[in-house]
Amino acid sequence: MNPILENLTGTAGMTDQVVATDLLISAKTGVRNYAIALTETASDEVRTVLEQHLQDAIRTHEQITAYMMKQGWYHAYNAPEQIQLDIENAQTALNMQ
């Protein structure tokens, strides 16, 4: 990416991994919010729409997770590896200050 554009947009120092992680967190939040909204609605029409949005959000979450796992940025099935990666990422963030 263009360094000038990075400075203007505030993305300097952001890596693809950081962006993907933020997107994954947002996707998880979306899934959670749609599920909560489904439990709160009394309208069949609204429920139908929310169910479709929930399914779309779940698929998006799955795609982001698969991408991150393929890149080696997310170890969903190996907690010790994920913890080590989280520690390394935290250390990198601390060293950027």
Side-chain angles (χ1 to χ4, degrees):
M1 184 176 238
N2 181 324
I4 294 171
L5 183 59
E6 287 177 347
N7 286 334
L8 289 174
T9 61
T11 59
M14 291 184 72
T15 65
D16 290 345
Q17 181 181 1
V18 171
V19 173
T21 300
D22 188 52
L23 189 57
L24 182 64
I25 291 167
S26 295
K28 287 181 182 189
T29 300
V31 168
R32 191 174 305 121
N33 289 343
Y34 281 123
I36 291 168
L38 270 166
T39 66
E40 298 297 327
T41 187
S43 165
D44 289 337
E45 294 84 11
V46 172
R47 185 174 298 108
T48 299
V49 171
L50 289 173
E51 286 172 348
Q52 183 58 53
H53 285 294
L54 176 59
Q55 290 304 315
D56 291 344
I58 290 169
R59 279 190 292 280
T60 299
H61 178 271
E62 289 171 350
Q63 291 171 339
I64 297 165
T65 300
Y67 172 76
M68 290 184 68
M69 289 175 68
K70 182 179 176 185
Q71 299 299 320
W73 300 333
Y74 189 57
H75 303 282
Y77 303 108
N78 189 326
E81 280 186 20
Q82 186 61 47
I83 291 168
Q84 183 59 40
L85 182 62
D86 291 345
I87 291 169
E88 291 169 10
N89 289 338
Q91 189 61 49
T92 299
L94 290 172
N95 290 337
M96 291 178 78
Q97 296 181 12

